[in-house]
Amino acid sequence: MTQQATESNSPSLFAKNPSNIMPHKLTLESKLRFRCHPGVSCFTACCGNINIVLTPYDILRIRRALNLPAQEFLLRFTTPVYLEQTDLPGVKILLDEDGRCPFVTAEGCTIYPYRPTTCRYYPVGMSYFREAPADKNEASISEEFYFLVKEDHCKGHQEEMTQTIREWRIDQGIDESDLMNKEWMELVMRRKSFGRQATLSEPAKRIFFMASTDLDKFREMVLSPSFQNTYEFDEQALAKLREDDVELMLFSFRFLAATIFGIPDSGLKVKEERLKQKIEQMKQDRDQAEQRAEETYKELLKDHEELKKQVGESKKKGR
């Protein structure tokens, strides 16, 4: 019997499975009848009571548009959250006192060209359907599909405009978002597949959070002498990480893949001398552990002999 599972690679990764998801699998060529504009009666109604988790590219794109350093953006406009079904920390948009997105006014979204990936997808979602092969040596079968979200308040579905899902993706700039988010999303899905029984250490969580949300701090770490003494960099690559936020973000995904998830082909290479030092340190730690174990054994043996002696003397006195 084969096993079947659905893996999400879209906003639904961070949302529960609501009843307003239409039970129909769509393709890139499926037709979508939908249009959102200031003239529709529900305009911006979907921007309240929402849960918009931000990807690293969302954060980078929005804060650059606002001309804010990462830390200020995070403090003013986000709140911490765990990515659904994982122990990976992230952030979501901090709603205002009325429960609405702080970037939305009666006239619409003030950061519309830089809006999050979740907003770009709505009312479409994308998922992967994975089926395990009958033979474990064969690759799993993966099928990409789309679905439609229809909420009662949304009147955009009553508009006349019709286009394919492919055209919708192009119109909303989803391809760029998905491309930039791809490696990070794969890490989240990998973590999600481990289940609740696996837990990350607190230092690993802090590193994941920093690399995913605060490129300013991550750049400080990458440019530090200790980091550069540990990992191999050529000067050209280092210059890109120093100046280019997108390159730094993409590097952060490879860094997380190698250091937290142990993915070997991440392109991050430890310097040979540091590797030798690490091996030597591990050997010293092992030797010290063996020495401590031997000393502990001798102490226990000594205590055991002392106890035998005391028991023997007690018996003699009791005669």
Side-chain angles (χ1 to χ4, degrees), residues 32 52 93 98 117 137 144 176 216 220 239 259 299-300 306 309 311:
L32 167 66
I52 300 180
I93 287 182
D98 296 319
T117 305
N137 294 320
E144 179 183 292
E176 178 189 349
D216 295 341
E220 288 180 10
T259 58
E299 287 293 326
L300 288 172
E306 183 64 28
K309 182 179 177 181
V311 171

PDB file of all heavy atoms in Angstrom, residues 32 52 93 98 117 137 144 176 216 220 239 259 299-300 306 309 311:
ATOM      1  N   LEU A  32      -9.463  31.257 -13.717  1.00  0.00           N
ATOM      2  CA  LEU A  32      -9.771  31.927 -12.461  1.00  0.00           C
ATOM      3  C   LEU A  32     -10.573  33.183 -12.775  1.00  0.00           C
ATOM      4  O   LEU A  32     -10.117  34.054 -13.525  1.00  0.00           O
ATOM      5  CB  LEU A  32      -8.477  32.299 -11.734  1.00  0.00           C
ATOM      6  CG  LEU A  32      -8.610  33.269 -10.548  1.00  0.00           C
ATOM      7  CD1 LEU A  32      -9.388  32.614  -9.409  1.00  0.00           C
ATOM      8  CD2 LEU A  32      -7.238  33.731 -10.070  1.00  0.00           C
ATOM      9  N   ILE A  52      -0.554  36.742   8.620  1.00  0.00           N
ATOM     10  CA  ILE A  52       0.385  36.799   7.491  1.00  0.00           C
ATOM     11  C   ILE A  52       1.808  36.601   7.998  1.00  0.00           C
ATOM     12  O   ILE A  52       2.448  37.520   8.523  1.00  0.00           O
ATOM     13  CB  ILE A  52       0.271  38.142   6.737  1.00  0.00           C
ATOM     14  CG1 ILE A  52      -1.155  38.321   6.200  1.00  0.00           C
ATOM     15  CG2 ILE A  52       1.270  38.182   5.592  1.00  0.00           C
ATOM     16  CD1 ILE A  52      -1.361  39.600   5.442  1.00  0.00           C
ATOM     17  N   ILE A  93       2.978  39.650  10.514  1.00  0.00           N
ATOM     18  CA  ILE A  93       2.646  41.073  10.587  1.00  0.00           C
ATOM     19  C   ILE A  93       1.861  41.364  11.865  1.00  0.00           C
ATOM     20  O   ILE A  93       0.918  40.645  12.215  1.00  0.00           O
ATOM     21  CB  ILE A  93       1.835  41.496   9.350  1.00  0.00           C
ATOM     22  CG1 ILE A  93       2.757  41.564   8.121  1.00  0.00           C
ATOM     23  CG2 ILE A  93       1.170  42.852   9.566  1.00  0.00           C
ATOM     24  CD1 ILE A  93       2.076  42.027   6.862  1.00  0.00           C
ATOM     25  N   ASP A  98      -7.209  47.732  15.716  1.00  0.00           N
ATOM     26  CA  ASP A  98      -8.493  47.330  15.130  1.00  0.00           C
ATOM     27  C   ASP A  98      -8.403  45.948  14.470  1.00  0.00           C
ATOM     28  O   ASP A  98      -9.352  45.505  13.817  1.00  0.00           O
ATOM     29  CB  ASP A  98      -8.959  48.357  14.090  1.00  0.00           C
ATOM     30  CG  ASP A  98      -9.227  49.720  14.721  1.00  0.00           C
ATOM     31  OD1 ASP A  98      -9.810  49.740  15.825  1.00  0.00           O
ATOM     32  OD2 ASP A  98      -8.854  50.738  14.116  1.00  0.00           O
ATOM     33  N   THR A 117       4.147  37.607   0.124  1.00  0.00           N
ATOM     34  CA  THR A 117       3.801  36.506  -0.776  1.00  0.00           C
ATOM     35  C   THR A 117       2.378  36.020  -0.534  1.00  0.00           C
ATOM     36  O   THR A 117       1.638  35.729  -1.482  1.00  0.00           O
ATOM     37  CB  THR A 117       4.786  35.339  -0.581  1.00  0.00           C
ATOM     38  OG1 THR A 117       6.119  35.825  -0.751  1.00  0.00           O
ATOM     39  CG2 THR A 117       4.521  34.230  -1.570  1.00  0.00           C
ATOM     40  N   ASN A 137      13.169   2.102  -3.317  1.00  0.00           N
ATOM     41  CA  ASN A 137      14.359   2.550  -4.047  1.00  0.00           C
ATOM     42  C   ASN A 137      14.015   3.538  -5.161  1.00  0.00           C
ATOM     43  O   ASN A 137      14.893   4.149  -5.752  1.00  0.00           O
ATOM     44  CB  ASN A 137      15.113   1.360  -4.627  1.00  0.00           C
ATOM     45  CG  ASN A 137      15.695   0.463  -3.545  1.00  0.00           C
ATOM     46  OD1 ASN A 137      16.205   0.948  -2.541  1.00  0.00           O
ATOM     47  ND2 ASN A 137      15.603  -0.842  -3.740  1.00  0.00           N
ATOM     48  N   GLU A 144       2.279  18.963  -8.509  1.00  0.00           N
ATOM     49  CA  GLU A 144       1.991  20.324  -8.073  1.00  0.00           C
ATOM     50  C   GLU A 144       0.571  20.680  -8.494  1.00  0.00           C
ATOM     51  O   GLU A 144       0.163  20.397  -9.624  1.00  0.00           O
ATOM     52  CB  GLU A 144       2.988  21.273  -8.725  1.00  0.00           C
ATOM     53  CG  GLU A 144       2.789  22.740  -8.382  1.00  0.00           C
ATOM     54  CD  GLU A 144       3.783  23.611  -9.121  1.00  0.00           C
ATOM     55  OE1 GLU A 144       4.985  23.518  -8.809  1.00  0.00           O
ATOM     56  OE2 GLU A 144       3.362  24.355 -10.021  1.00  0.00           O
ATOM     57  N   GLU A 176       8.552  35.602  -8.983  1.00  0.00           N
ATOM     58  CA  GLU A 176       9.738  36.166  -8.312  1.00  0.00           C
ATOM     59  C   GLU A 176       9.746  35.794  -6.832  1.00  0.00           C
ATOM     60  O   GLU A 176      10.776  35.378  -6.289  1.00  0.00           O
ATOM     61  CB  GLU A 176       9.761  37.688  -8.450  1.00  0.00           C
ATOM     62  CG  GLU A 176      10.932  38.334  -7.724  1.00  0.00           C
ATOM     63  CD  GLU A 176      10.845  39.845  -7.672  1.00  0.00           C
ATOM     64  OE1 GLU A 176      10.000  40.429  -8.375  1.00  0.00           O
ATOM     65  OE2 GLU A 176      11.611  40.443  -6.895  1.00  0.00           O
ATOM     66  N   ASP A 216      20.744  42.258   8.765  1.00  0.00           N
ATOM     67  CA  ASP A 216      21.776  43.157   9.284  1.00  0.00           C
ATOM     68  C   ASP A 216      22.662  42.432  10.298  1.00  0.00           C
ATOM     69  O   ASP A 216      23.895  42.499  10.240  1.00  0.00           O
ATOM     70  CB  ASP A 216      21.137  44.386   9.929  1.00  0.00           C
ATOM     71  CG  ASP A 216      20.392  45.254   8.923  1.00  0.00           C
ATOM     72  OD1 ASP A 216      20.663  45.112   7.718  1.00  0.00           O
ATOM     73  OD2 ASP A 216      19.542  46.056   9.347  1.00  0.00           O
ATOM     74  N   GLU A 220      26.672  40.993  10.022  1.00  0.00           N
ATOM     75  CA  GLU A 220      27.712  41.211  11.035  1.00  0.00           C
ATOM     76  C   GLU A 220      28.403  39.902  11.385  1.00  0.00           C
ATOM     77  O   GLU A 220      29.627  39.862  11.541  1.00  0.00           O
ATOM     78  CB  GLU A 220      27.085  41.820  12.295  1.00  0.00           C
ATOM     79  CG  GLU A 220      26.653  43.273  12.154  1.00  0.00           C
ATOM     80  CD  GLU A 220      26.033  43.804  13.431  1.00  0.00           C
ATOM     81  OE1 GLU A 220      26.125  43.105  14.469  1.00  0.00           O
ATOM     82  OE2 GLU A 220      25.454  44.904  13.406  1.00  0.00           O
ATOM     83  N   ALA A 239      32.641  40.008  -1.212  1.00  0.00           N
ATOM     84  CA  ALA A 239      32.229  41.364  -1.589  1.00  0.00           C
ATOM     85  C   ALA A 239      30.723  41.412  -1.860  1.00  0.00           C
ATOM     86  O   ALA A 239      30.044  42.380  -1.499  1.00  0.00           O
ATOM     87  CB  ALA A 239      33.000  41.818  -2.827  1.00  0.00           C
ATOM     88  N   THR A 259      24.378  24.084   8.472  1.00  0.00           N
ATOM     89  CA  THR A 259      24.672  24.073   9.904  1.00  0.00           C
ATOM     90  C   THR A 259      23.558  23.498  10.762  1.00  0.00           C
ATOM     91  O   THR A 259      23.825  22.855  11.779  1.00  0.00           O
ATOM     92  CB  THR A 259      24.987  25.497  10.395  1.00  0.00           C
ATOM     93  OG1 THR A 259      23.859  26.353  10.103  1.00  0.00           O
ATOM     94  CG2 THR A 259      26.219  26.043   9.701  1.00  0.00           C
ATOM     95  N   GLU A 299      37.226   5.223  41.596  1.00  0.00           N
ATOM     96  CA  GLU A 299      36.610   5.737  42.809  1.00  0.00           C
ATOM     97  C   GLU A 299      35.486   4.818  43.290  1.00  0.00           C
ATOM     98  O   GLU A 299      35.351   4.525  44.481  1.00  0.00           O
ATOM     99  CB  GLU A 299      36.056   7.144  42.559  1.00  0.00           C
ATOM    100  CG  GLU A 299      37.111   8.231  42.431  1.00  0.00           C
ATOM    101  CD  GLU A 299      37.845   8.459  43.748  1.00  0.00           C
ATOM    102  OE1 GLU A 299      37.207   8.316  44.819  1.00  0.00           O
ATOM    103  OE2 GLU A 299      39.044   8.769  43.706  1.00  0.00           O
ATOM    104  N   LEU A 300      34.681   4.361  42.326  1.00  0.00           N
ATOM    105  CA  LEU A 300      33.588   3.455  42.675  1.00  0.00           C
ATOM    106  C   LEU A 300      34.127   2.134  43.227  1.00  0.00           C
ATOM    107  O   LEU A 300      33.576   1.574  44.177  1.00  0.00           O
ATOM    108  CB  LEU A 300      32.709   3.186  41.442  1.00  0.00           C
ATOM    109  CG  LEU A 300      31.831   4.344  40.973  1.00  0.00           C
ATOM    110  CD1 LEU A 300      31.166   4.004  39.647  1.00  0.00           C
ATOM    111  CD2 LEU A 300      30.776   4.673  42.026  1.00  0.00           C
ATOM    112  N   GLU A 306      35.746  -0.388  50.300  1.00  0.00           N
ATOM    113  CA  GLU A 306      35.581   0.190  51.635  1.00  0.00           C
ATOM    114  C   GLU A 306      34.280  -0.290  52.274  1.00  0.00           C
ATOM    115  O   GLU A 306      34.220  -0.596  53.471  1.00  0.00           O
ATOM    116  CB  GLU A 306      35.592   1.722  51.535  1.00  0.00           C
ATOM    117  CG  GLU A 306      35.498   2.439  52.863  1.00  0.00           C
ATOM    118  CD  GLU A 306      36.697   2.181  53.759  1.00  0.00           C
ATOM    119  OE1 GLU A 306      37.805   1.914  53.228  1.00  0.00           O
ATOM    120  OE2 GLU A 306      36.525   2.242  54.994  1.00  0.00           O
ATOM    121  N   LYS A 309      34.625  -3.804  53.431  1.00  0.00           N
ATOM    122  CA  LYS A 309      35.411  -3.844  54.670  1.00  0.00           C
ATOM    123  C   LYS A 309      34.528  -3.485  55.871  1.00  0.00           C
ATOM    124  O   LYS A 309      34.581  -4.148  56.920  1.00  0.00           O
ATOM    125  CB  LYS A 309      36.586  -2.876  54.556  1.00  0.00           C
ATOM    126  CG  LYS A 309      37.496  -2.856  55.769  1.00  0.00           C
ATOM    127  CD  LYS A 309      38.637  -1.882  55.530  1.00  0.00           C
ATOM    128  CE  LYS A 309      39.521  -1.799  56.770  1.00  0.00           C
ATOM    129  NZ  LYS A 309      40.631  -0.836  56.590  1.00  0.00           N
ATOM    130  N   VAL A 311      31.258  -3.744  56.124  1.00  0.00           N
ATOM    131  CA  VAL A 311      30.282  -4.814  56.345  1.00  0.00           C
ATOM    132  C   VAL A 311      30.928  -5.984  57.091  1.00  0.00           C
ATOM    133  O   VAL A 311      30.358  -6.577  58.017  1.00  0.00           O
ATOM    134  CB  VAL A 311      29.680  -5.296  55.006  1.00  0.00           C
ATOM    135  CG1 VAL A 311      28.845  -6.561  55.211  1.00  0.00           C
ATOM    136  CG2 VAL A 311      28.836  -4.202  54.396  1.00  0.00           C
TER     137      VAL A 311
END
